[in-house]
Every structure is written in C-alpha cells, then in structure tokens.
C-alpha cells in the first residue's frame, strides 16, 4: 500500500499525478483541500485569506481552467495600503506621493542616501535588507511594522532567502517618479488574477480531488519508519511501501518513533505563524475599490483585509452585500491573548474607523442582520529564521536513512521549477517523500503545491 498523509492541495496533487488508484490519502479532518478550502456560511463563501490564482505555470493554469469547466473570473487586481488614515497604492515604495508630508520627503531622502552608499556588505538579515532596499525611514515605518504584524517577529530575526521577487526592491527612477505622482503602470508582482465563479478557491482543485481515495477522520498518531507502518488514532495499523507526508513537519517528526534528541530539537526549532480569520458579512456596499488591503498601523490588529464578494458575485448572498475577511496573526513569539469573539468586534470597529465598512453596519451585527464569525488556522506561514536551514538539514539527514532522497533545494524556502528533475537522481527508489508548504517547510503558494505533486510523479514513476 502507498500512503499520502494529508488531503490538502499538495496531497491531492500527489495522488492525482501519481494515480489515485495506487495511493490512499489519510486526512484527519472531515473535508479536503487544506488551506485552499472554501467555507460557505450565511450565504458567503470564505477562503483562508485572499486566495487568487496568478500562476505563471501554464500547466497549472490549464489544470485550474479544466477543474471549473472554464467558469472563472479574470480581472486586474486592485490592492492598496492603509497607513494612519491615508490610502497608499501598492507597493507603497513606488507611491510615495500619497505618503503625507513631512514623512514623504524623509522617506525619499533616506532612500536616496541608502543608494548612495558604496561598498556596503551584503545584508545578513531582513532588517538590513529593508534598510538597503528602501532606506531606514521607509523601512521602519512600513515593512518593518508590517513584518511584526504578519511574521510576528522583528525583521532582524528573519533570513532573506525567502524573498524571491515577493518584495519589490525599486530602482531610483521608479521611487523618484512615484514620489511625484502615480506610476503609469503597476509595479506589483501581481497584476491579473483568476478566481472561480462559484464554490470558492477550492473549486480550482476539484479535478485533483475527483476519484481520490481519501479516508477522512484518519489522524496519524504514530509512524514507524523502520517497519514502514503508520498508526491511526483509532488504533488501526497500516503498512506502506511508499509514504508521502504533507502534514506539518514538526507534527510528522513528533509522530515518528525512535527519533534522536537532536532531530526532535531541530523540529522544535521550526516556527510557524497561526492565523485568526475574522469574517464580517454585512448588508451594504463598501466604499473601497480594493480586492485586498495591507494595514500598517501597529495599533490595529487587522493585518490584511480581503473582500470575498469582489472576487466572485456568488461569494455573497446577493447584490448589496459585502464580505470582509481580516487576518490576525500570532505565534509562540506573539501569543493570542484575547478571546476570538472580542477580537471580532474589535476588527469590525477598525473596519468602520478605516472607512472600509459604513458605520451603520455596526448596528446590523447587533440586530442579527449582519454577522461576524471567526476561525483559526493553527499553521499559517513558515517563519524563516536564521537557524531554520540548519534545523531542516538535521531532519533531512536523519530521514535519509529511511528512504528520503535529499534534494538540492531541500533547505531553501523556494523551489525553482524550471530545473525539472535534474537533481532527482535515484528518487525512483525512494520510500519516503515530503510535499507541500508544511511538509517540506517551504514558502509555497498553491501552484507550488500542484507542481510538487507533478514533480514527484515524474521522478517516482521513472
């Protein structure tokens, strides 16, 4: 028997590309899709954060199109930033013209000074990278503040290898032009996005889930890598020939028996944020045009806001309804100390204060016409600390004794899919593989999870 642990996007992709008939997927929950899942509630469809498809992989694009039978929306994305009562185009580093004075001039002068420095050493942490990219004034005011809210740690605690092209490092001409007026074109790495017309983001993965052999309510509590066995919470023991893990790596190591102390310590060193989602559904039209918004103010607990009704009209009960989801992040470094229900009310007040929702919606929630719900994702974003690579190397070295094939980028946050499988030598004999954001401990988006399943199929079936 071949087993996949976890029916999230990575697990489904592995089963789909390897062939459903040859793999059994064990899922502890009652439904599939993991972080790509969509919840229908009181007429609203809620995703876990602003899930949209902007993949450059034509294979994934076509797979998603087929999954929804061509029924999807495609549109230019509108994104902005909120800062102390001011709205700033995204990314803010090329929209300084909207930053109030005297901060605007201070940011510009600090930026120009940072670019005049010659012979500076390469940044060794994210804080240094921010100062070099934007100048210290902009860095501490905007991205450093957002880092504490989103990553829950100080920028200096983060490495820089997770960045890729996710944070724009602008050139001098772009910053100068953006300090005088709007740019003639977007400098954001996301321009046009796709979203299913109905069913939420998870609809893009329907074709991968179809015919998958998924056993729901099957929580793996013990793994014996020597005997190639897994035990479920109900006591059942299952033997495997090949095993693919997609659940969070610390949980997997914790389930394994006979784990050396150094490996357990390495697993405990891995850090991840947790996410509280506050879903506010009200009758009334938001005056804001954005699909999602970044909130820089550290006195507000809302970190990022997204509008579900603006992604697809079927995501709302009908015309005139607005659905706003606020993300609130916490972790071992920044614990959640307040009851989620009280956080929901506070978030709604922040939305009204920022002008995202009309003030009359406050009375709607009290009267029952509108509603606020909350949910928690215990695993959100991998935090790439300076010791993360060393911890992963310790874990991968130990798992290599049990059939895991080391990969060239297995300690790096990103995967270069243009490499194909050139480094996958001898993987066809592998009995243990890892897949997905949490299984591989990567900075993966949904298309990465799909591509990982395809990559494993290409190598394991050789």
């Amino acid at each position: 028997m071949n087993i996949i642990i976890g029916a999230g996007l990575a697990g489904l992709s592995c089963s789909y590309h390897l062939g459903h008939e040859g793999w059994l997927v064990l899922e502890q929950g009652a439904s599939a899709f993991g972080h790509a899942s969509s919840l229908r509630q009181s007429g609203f469809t809620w995703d876990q954060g602003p899930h949209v498809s902007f993949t450059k992989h034509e294979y994934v694009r076509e797979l998603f199109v087929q999954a929804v039978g061509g029924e999807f929306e495609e549109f230019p994305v509108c994104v902005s930033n909120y800062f102390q009562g001011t709205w700033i185009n995204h990314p803010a580093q090329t929209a300084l013209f909207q930053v109030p004075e005297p901060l605007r001039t201070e940011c510009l002068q600090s930026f120009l000074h940072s670019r005049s420095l010659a012979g500076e050493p390469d940044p060794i942490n994210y804080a240094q990278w921010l100062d070099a990219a934007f100048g210290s004034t902009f860095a501490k005011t905007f991205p450093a503040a957002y880092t504490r809210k989103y990553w829950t740690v100080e920028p200096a605690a983060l490495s820089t290898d997770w960045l890729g092209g996710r944070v724009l490092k602008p050139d001098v001409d772009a910053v100068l032009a953006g300090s005088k007026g709007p740019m003639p074109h977007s400098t954001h790495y996301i321009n046009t996005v796709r979203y299913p017309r109905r069913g939420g983001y998870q609809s893009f993965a329907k074709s991968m889930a179809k015919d998958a052999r998924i056993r729901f309510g099957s929580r793996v509590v013990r793994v014996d890598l020597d005997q190639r066995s897994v035990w479920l919470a109900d006591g059942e023991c299952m033997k495997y020939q090949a095993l693919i893990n997609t659940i969070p790596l610390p949980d997997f190591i914790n389930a394994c028996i006979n784990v050396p102390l150094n490996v357990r310590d390495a697993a405990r060193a891995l850090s991840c944020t947790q996410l509280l989602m506050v879903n506010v559904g009200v009758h009334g039209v938001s005056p804001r045009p954005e699909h999602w918004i970044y909130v820089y103010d550290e006195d507000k607990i809302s970190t990022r806001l997204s509008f579900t009704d603006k992604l697809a009209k079927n995501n709302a009960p009908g015309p005139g309804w607005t659905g706003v989801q606020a993300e609130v992040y916490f972790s071992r470094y920044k614990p959640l100390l307040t009851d989620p229900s009280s956080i929901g009310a506070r978030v709604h007040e922040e939305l009204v204060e920022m002008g995202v929702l009309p003030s009359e919606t406050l009375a709607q929630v009290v009267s029952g016409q509108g509603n606020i719900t909350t949910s928690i994702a215990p695993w959100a974003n991998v935090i790439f600390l300076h010791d993360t690579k060393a911890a992963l190397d310790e874990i991968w070295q130990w798992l290599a004794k049990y059939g895991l094939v080391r990969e060239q980028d297995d300690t790096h946050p990103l995967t270069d899919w243009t490499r194909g499988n050139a480094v996958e030598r001898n993987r066809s004999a592998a009995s243990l593989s890892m897949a997905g954001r949490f299984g591989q401990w990567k900075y993966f988006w949904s298309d990465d999870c799909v591509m990982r399943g395809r990559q494993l199929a290409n190598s394991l079936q050789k």
Side-chain angles (χ1 to χ4, degrees):
M1 179 187 300
N2 298 318
I3 292 176
I4 297 169
I5 305 177
L9 208 53
L12 293 175
S13 178
C14 289
S15 182
Y16 172 80
H17 288 98
L18 286 161
H20 292 313
E21 67 282 354
W23 293 81
L24 177 64
V25 183
L26 302 177
E27 168 56 46
Q28 69 173 356
S31 59
F33 304 109
H35 277 284
S37 63
S38 306
L39 174 66
R40 189 73 176 173
Q41 201 170 49
S42 302
F44 286 96
T45 298
W46 302 103
D47 298 319
Q48 295 192 32
H51 273 68
V52 292
S53 177
F54 53 91
T55 179
K56 302 298 190 293
H57 300 292
E58 190 59 35
Y59 174 78
V60 178
R61 288 168 63 89
E62 287 303 313
L63 185 66
F64 285 1
V65 168
Q66 292 170 13
V68 296
E71 293 291 308
F72 63 91
E73 305 290 346
E74 186 166 16
F75 47 86
V77 70
C78 180
V79 187
S80 72
N81 308 286
Y82 179 88
F83 172 71
Q84 298 182 3
T86 300
W87 293 96
I88 304 170
N89 293 344
H90 190 75
Q93 54 266 42
T94 54
L96 292 182
F97 77 98
Q98 291 171 314
V99 175
E101 290 287 15
L103 180 59
R104 179 195 315 166
T105 298
E106 292 169 357
C107 286
L108 181 59
Q109 290 175 343
S110 175
F111 169 80
L112 294 174
H113 174 71
S114 71
R115 293 305 173 89
S116 69
L117 300 176
E120 289 291 300
D122 291 336
I124 62 172
N125 60 53
Y126 186 43
Q128 291 183 4
W129 188 94
L130 290 175
D131 283 349
F134 308 126
S136 60
T137 302
F138 183 93
K140 70 181 181 183
T141 306
F142 294 99
Y146 192 79
T147 296
R148 287 187 286 271
K149 296 180 69 174
Y150 186 81
W151 295 106
T152 72
V153 296
E154 291 293 330
L158 296 174
S159 65
T160 60
D161 48 4
W162 56 272
L163 282 164
R166 289 170 166 85
V167 181
L168 174 68
K169 183 178 181 179
D171 58 34
V172 173
D173 289 343
V175 173
L176 287 173
S179 69
K180 299 173 183 176
M183 298 287 287
H185 55 80
S186 173
T187 56
H188 189 23
Y189 62 83
I190 303 176
N191 292 312
T192 301
V193 300
R194 290 179 173 183
Y195 189 88
R197 286 182 181 163
R198 55 188 56 84
Y201 190 78
Q202 74 177 33
S203 295
F204 274 150
K206 287 191 303 183
S207 60
M208 293 191 297
K210 186 176 184 293
D211 299 325
R213 299 169 58 215
I214 308 174
R215 278 186 51 174
F216 295 106
S218 298
R219 182 167 66 92
V220 173
V221 296
R222 183 181 179 192
V223 179
D224 187 331
L225 297 171
D226 276 312
Q227 299 300 317
R228 296 190 183 182
S229 303
V230 298
W231 279 262
L232 305 182
D234 62 7
E236 181 180 359
C237 176
M238 310 177 75
K239 292 280 190 177
Y240 66 84
Q241 291 179 311
L243 178 67
I244 298 176
N245 172 65
T246 72
I247 65 172
L249 186 55
D251 281 356
F252 179 76
I253 294 299
N254 190 53
C256 290
I257 64 172
N258 301 323
V259 181
L261 181 59
N262 65 304
V263 177
R264 289 204 181 278
D265 287 344
R268 281 191 286 266
L270 300 178
S271 298
C272 191
T273 60
Q274 297 167 283
L275 169 61
L276 171 67
M277 290 159 282
V278 180
N279 301 322
V280 182
V282 294
H283 191 266
V285 178
S286 171
R288 300 306 310 170
E290 294 87 0
H291 294 99
W292 66 87
I293 297 164
Y294 300 95
V295 182
Y296 288 100
D297 297 8
E298 291 189 80
D299 63 344
K300 290 181 170 53
I301 58 174
S302 302
T303 300
R304 183 170 55 181
L305 311 173
S306 54
F307 295 82
T308 189
D309 57 291
K310 293 179 181 178
L311 299 178
K313 64 180 182 180
N314 292 307
N315 279 359
W321 287 84
T322 296
V324 183
Q325 181 180 85
E327 297 165 63
V328 180
Y329 289 91
F330 57 104
S331 71
R332 68 173 75 168
Y333 309 106
K334 183 184 177 183
L336 185 67
L337 302 176
T338 310
D339 179 70
S341 61
S342 62
I343 289 179
R346 179 178 168 184
V347 164
H348 192 184
E349 291 171 358
E350 289 181 354
L351 297 178
V352 172
E353 179 190 341
M354 289 186 282
V356 172
L357 288 179
S359 59
E360 55 265 27
T361 62
L362 292 170
Q364 285 186 29
V365 173
V366 174
S367 66
Q369 185 180 7
N371 65 87
I372 300 176
T373 59
T374 60
S375 61
I376 289 179
W379 301 90
N381 296 305
V382 172
I383 305 175
F384 297 102
L385 304 171
H386 298 290
D387 59 357
T388 299
K389 279 192 172 184
L392 287 174
D393 187 60
E394 198 83 40
I395 294 169
W396 300 147
Q397 282 190 56
W398 180 70
L399 290 178
K401 301 174 183 178
Y402 301 98
L404 181 79
V405 174
R406 293 295 304 266
E407 299 174 41
Q408 185 177 352
D409 61 2
D410 60 11
T411 65
H412 196 281
L414 308 176
T415 291
D416 179 6
W417 300 109
T418 63
R419 289 190 301 106
N421 289 288
V423 299
E424 301 285 335
R425 294 183 297 273
N426 301 320
R427 176 169 278 286
S428 59
S431 60
L432 177 63
S433 302
M434 300 285 162
R437 171 183 287 193
F438 305 115
Q440 294 177 263
W441 215 247
K442 294 267 194 176
Y443 196 173
F444 270 6
W445 286 328
S446 57
D447 57 348
D448 294 302
C449 293
V450 174
M451 294 296 288
R452 177 58 170 176
R454 187 189 190 200
Q455 182 190 54
L456 287 181
N458 288 339
S459 57
L460 289 175
Q461 293 178 337
K462 285 184 177 179

